[in-house]
Amino acid sequence: MQPDESQYLKRKCRTGDIDVHPTEKALVVHYEVEASILGEAGNARHEEKKECQKIIRLRSLNASTDVSALARKVVEECKIIHPSKLAEVEHLLLYLQNRKKPSSKCKYLFKTSFPNIDEEANINKTDDYIELLYESMPEKIRGSTLILHLARNPDNLEELLHNKTLLGALTRVLREDWKHSVELATTIIYVFFCFSSFSQFHGLITHYKIGLLCMNIIEHELKKYDLWQDELEKKSKDPENQSLQKEYEKTLKKYQSFLVKQEQLLRVAFYLLLNLSEDTRTELKMRNKNIVHLLVKSLERENQELLVLVVSFLKKLSIFLENKNDMAEMDTVEKLARLVPCEQEDLMNVTLRLLLNLSFDTGLRTKMVHVGLLPKLTALLGDDTYKHIAMRILYHISVDDKSKSMFAYTDYWGSSLLIILCICSAGNGLKMLMKRALKLKEPLMMKMIRNISQHDGPLKQLFIEYVGDLAAQIKQEGGEEFVIECLGTMANLTIPDLDWELLLKEYNLVPYLKDHLKPGSAEDDLILEVVIMIGTVSMDDSCAVMLAKSGIIPALIELLNAQQEDDEFVCQIIYVFYQMVFHQATRDVIIKDTQAPAYLIDLMHDKNVEIRQVCDNTLDIIAEYDEEWGKKIQSEKFRWHNSQWLEMVESRQMEDTEPYMYGDDPDALEQPDLFYSTDGMMAPEPGLSPDFYSQSYSQNGDFNACNGADGRPATAYGFRPDEPFFHGYGSTR
């Protein structure tokens, strides 16, 4: 790209998840920065995306802090957090406020006492401690423990590094003797862990290949654990054999002692690796060495401090597709299911967050249902500490058709004030869920209900009972996000038995729908749901007539002009026209009183496959019932095909003949760029189905001169009624 081809740099920031820091009183905000270099025409010439995170430290947070006020301050001062995230931020701050504070980062998740040393460690005697590393095993343990006592004080780390032989000596002893003493290996790895708590020392640790050594140690210890398990199982098969029983009890005591020491080693080794994985290149190396396998294998343990660390590590890794796939192959969901619920708050919280990350995968969501997580998650909706994250996982599960019906027909009990779903009678689960959502106006719960309503079959019939309640919520002033979900749920109800005409009249919804079609009258998401709702309603003949008489069709055309760059809006509005041309009354209005057919002709060659398909289907119906428009549609199809053929021939023979072999005017096939207004138009009808939520785009086809820069029509159509529909071709053609 030449320097003068670009105009300016455009940056976009999209906020992702907000999480608590694992060791500090801080929030971690994940966000994505997208940078685009725009050309003179405003089109993107080069784009780059980068995943980032911002740490918001909350040093003033204590037991007496006003969490609500602090949450508002965080949202106001951190521009990358959207105001809609206020409740989530407040929930996370409340969790941080009640979380037990670790004494130091080095002690977090690693509360272990090391051998008592008679003498107090002295930084000036570091060389003496290094000398002990070359003595017998007890002296090696004593020397490494004294060094550890120094390393646990962050103020000593810089001075310890001045001793050039320290890390080399520790590495050499660890590499040679880790199999001989679990205690020695744990102590030396703990020394390196203290250094790994600070990013500036990661290069040194990597230089000595401590990460690779730790992974080898972990793999060996896990294999040793399996051998001990097999030995215990063999000796416990004959409990009546006294001699064998005594041998079993003796082995069990050894095993329990071994288990305590081994889990102590695993905790500090995994934590060191977790610190080093801050660098994604290092994390990739760990992945290639099968770190996911080692972590998932460790989920079988019972030590909760070890489990918190392992699940935290897996949660960090799970954001990458390759790691997620590894977890799927290792039956991670099955092993996590036993941890829900659990008494340890930190373990419970991080387990749910890992399940949330995994729930983006369809196969893993299915496993969550099969292993019985659905009732466990629903029970958590009654717990203020976990209900938000549990609701998100349930929302993801509700997306799948196979899982939707289970929400209405399964026995789930929440605690405190909540019984979300139960099975006293058919459909009672949906009744309780709907009652809860309407009472508290919770958007996320309403989103779950909306997903359930997309499921075809007997379940959809249960929603007829609640259409009145949903319609009432639309007219009430409340949260826009909640209204969007109510509209979306109603738009999904393509039920023949539903009397839409009575519903529109009883709740006076037509003026509301028309008013919210005006560009800028509300957020785009809400306007789009209104269009979808109109599409569903206009499937009914009497409703279509009612909508047409209200003037909704000109409003839709005006909205189409305003949103012509948004494929989803365009597709849904065109689908409204498609529904309306099925009815005689509204078909006549669309054909005779509006320029909607002209818009449809102009969109016949859109880049989006769904838009082209809906346009073609709608125009076929119009051509069948109106001879004049049928001729225009046929002529336009011929004109387009002919222009494409001429362009192909021109490009092939350009070098052999004059520049314009079919005439002297290169713009002969292009149409004038005119814009149509909806002023004075009558109102035909709307109608739209949620089945056309397509995000697929094709790149085939060229576009007329009347089209915008992105292929979307910049005009209603490129001709006026008093002008010829197509250009006449000269004799040279």
Side-chain angles (χ1 to χ4, degrees), residues 538-634:
S538 60
M539 292 180 183
D540 182 274
D541 185 73
S542 56
C543 289
V545 174
M546 185 191 310
L547 293 172
K549 291 180 179 179
S550 71
I552 274 183
I553 293 181
L556 286 168
I557 294 177
E558 183 180 353
L559 181 62
L560 180 61
N561 281 328
Q563 298 288 351
Q564 55 188 315
E565 301 297 333
D566 191 318
D567 278 7
E568 193 168 14
F569 262 104
V570 173
C571 188
Q572 297 291 353
I573 293 172
I574 294 173
Y575 189 76
V576 172
F577 296 151
Y578 172 74
Q579 288 291 347
M580 287 188 166
V581 295
F582 277 107
H583 311 297
Q584 178 64 45
T586 50
R587 180 168 58 245
D588 291 342
V589 174
I590 289 177
I591 294 174
K592 297 177 181 179
D593 300 324
T594 75
Q595 287 298 320
Y599 279 85
L600 297 173
I601 291 175
D602 209 22
L603 289 167
M604 284 168 55
H605 316 299
D606 193 272
K607 287 190 295 185
N608 188 294
V609 176
E610 294 294 339
I611 291 177
R612 293 202 307 269
Q613 181 181 347
V614 182
C615 280
D616 288 343
N617 293 340
T618 309
L619 289 172
D620 287 345
I621 298 174
I622 292 174
E624 182 179 349
Y625 287 95
D626 189 277
E627 183 177 354
E628 181 181 354
W629 273 112
K631 292 179 180 178
K632 293 179 181 180
I633 293 166
Q634 185 179 11

Side-chain angles (χ1 to χ4, degrees), residues 192 195-196 201-211 272 276:
F192 283 106
F195 283 98
S196 74
F201 299 137
H202 287 185
L204 270 174
I205 299 171
T206 303
H207 172 73
Y208 287 103
K209 299 183 179 180
I210 299 301
L272 183 146
L276 294 181

